[in-house]
Amino acid sequence: MKIVVQEAPFDFGAEAQAFSDAAKGAGAVVTFTGVVREADAGAMAVMEIEHYPGMTEKALEKIAAEAMTRWSLTDALVIHRHGRLVPGDQIMMVATAARHRVAAFEAAEYLMDYLKSRAPFWKKEILDDGAAAWVDAKDEDEDALSRW
Amino acid sequence: MDVMYFAWVRERVGLPKEKVETSAATVAELIEELKSREDRYAAAFADLSALRVALDQELSDFDAPLEGVREVAFFPPMTGG
């Protein structure tokens, strides 16, 4: 299990390959990557991601450890960036390895649902004209936790 | 204890972190103390339903006791992923 919180970009291809190479005994590896999308209204120039150093790592480790146990994963990886990102940048990735694909897919969805609402990150959108707004948490993101 | 603020809570209070001497027994009492200090705190804590609190880096509740707590953090609902 590996948790990485960093400002720098990550190499998705290299991370996915290394994770898969190390996943001995697994029959399934699932990866998910989150990408900064354009804001709904207007042109977003920058997305700033703030986090709570210390608590972020603890929260991600707790979420990943729960997924490891619940789906008997052989390995799990979470990488999440912070700082200034622009549309098209990769924000984060998760990878899960399990003996069978259903467990790997479900665990990846669980990781995503929980790290959206339980890991201390906050997004701020800055538009081309300089206007800035914090992204509101969505009710459906909180509701998504109830299915687990 | 250290009190930390993140995202728009940090912007409204005007600083990311401060040392607070308090005899507040619970998070809710600490919030009342802060609100009575200055308008910027009253603005930051106006709507508690829009706030979350962590005690020593674990999510907690407003009625949680502060005894033994070293670090309190206030922030809006999280938007990771």
Side-chain angles (χ1 to χ4, degrees), chain A residues 11-35:
Chain A
D11 182 336
F12 172 69
E15 294 290 348
Q17 188 64 52
F19 183 82
S20 183
D21 288 347
K24 306 293 180 217
V29 170
V30 165
T31 62
F32 171 87
T33 316
V35 179

Side-chain angles (χ1 to χ4, degrees), chain B residues 19-48:
Chain B
K19 291 247 183 242
V20 173
E21 296 296 329
T22 180
S23 54
T26 64
V27 175
E29 284 183 28
L30 173 64
I31 290 172
E32 286 310 311
E33 265 189 33
L34 292 170
K35 281 170 77 173
S36 66
R37 276 186 176 183
E38 283 181 57
D39 286 350
R40 56 197 172 101
Y41 292 98
F45 293 105
D47 178 9
L48 291 191

Side-chain angles (χ1 to χ4, degrees), chain B residues 6-24:
Chain B
F6 291 94
W8 58 255
V9 185
R10 170 179 53 75
E11 291 178 343
R12 284 188 199 177
V13 171
L15 76 179
K17 185 177 179 175
E18 61 184 327
K19 291 247 183 242
V20 173
E21 296 296 329
T22 180
S23 54

